[in-house]
């Protein structure tokens, strides 16, 4: 099979996998609800400088149903790694998963708390953690 398979090809059984490039939230939102069994994610770790005020602003936005945008730069001064993905991204994953589906998301030890809150606010139950040792 060539590398040109689409998610529709996979869902129809015409291909074993598809590689899709794009914004992960937009790609997940384009998938049918309940089409996936599992999501393995290595999202941005949010390795920017974060003050307590930044965390409070983030939590206030998330709890109000909004999106938080951090103004800093993350790993290697990249904007995309300034902060962990918020609940809006994980809601798209949750919608695409079948009931009982798992999401395994990796994180930095420094920002695992924020990632966990974002995932929990999206509707997931938090289970035992894994760690690289």
């Amino acid at each position: 099979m060539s590398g040109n398979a689409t998610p529709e090809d996979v869902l129809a059984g015409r291909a074993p996998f598809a590689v899709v490039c794009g914004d992960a939230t937009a790609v997940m939102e384009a998938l049918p609800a309940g089409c996936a069994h599992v999501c393995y994610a290595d999202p941005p770790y949010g390795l920017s400088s974060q003050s307590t005020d930044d965390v409070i602003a983030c939590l206030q936005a998330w709890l109000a149903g909004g999106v938080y945008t951090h103004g800093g730069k993350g790993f290697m001064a990249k904007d995309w790694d300034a902060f962990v993905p918020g609940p809006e991204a994980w809601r798209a994953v949750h919608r695409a998963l079948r009931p009982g589906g798992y999401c395994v998301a990796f994180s930095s030890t420094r920002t695992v708390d924020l990632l966990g809150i974002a995932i929990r606010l999206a509707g997931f139950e938090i289970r035992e953690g894994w760690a690289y040792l």
Side-chain angles (χ1 to χ4, degrees):
M1 164 123 300
S2 72
N4 296 331
T6 67
E8 292 77 19
D9 292 329
V10 175
L11 294 172
R14 294 187 296 268
F17 68 90
V19 177
V20 181
C21 296
D23 177 270
T25 303
V27 171
M28 294 301 296
E29 288 172 350
L31 294 175
C35 71
H37 293 278
V38 66
C39 171
Y40 288 100
D42 191 16
Y45 289 0
L47 298 178
S48 62
S49 177
Q50 300 162 11
S51 69
T52 301
D53 289 341
D54 293 329
V55 174
I56 291 169
C58 164
L59 294 176
Q60 288 173 333
W62 288 355
L63 290 173
V67 175
Y68 175 74
T69 303
H70 186 65
K73 301 245 185 226
F75 180 69
M76 296 177 61
K78 300 295 183 185
D79 292 336
W80 60 264
D81 191 43
F83 212 75
V84 298
E88 68 281 357
W90 301 108
R91 280 188 202 102
V93 173
H94 192 271
R95 187 195 61 77
L97 287 172
R98 294 175 184 225
Y102 277 84
C103 175
V104 178
F106 295 91
S107 178
S108 162
T109 56
R110 193 166 67 190
T111 56
V112 69
D113 56 339
L114 293 168
L115 184 69
I117 290 169
I119 290 172
R120 187 180 298 265
L121 289 173
F124 285 96
E125 293 178 22
I126 303 298
R127 300 295 178 133
E128 295 77 15
W130 296 354
Y132 288 115
L133 298 176

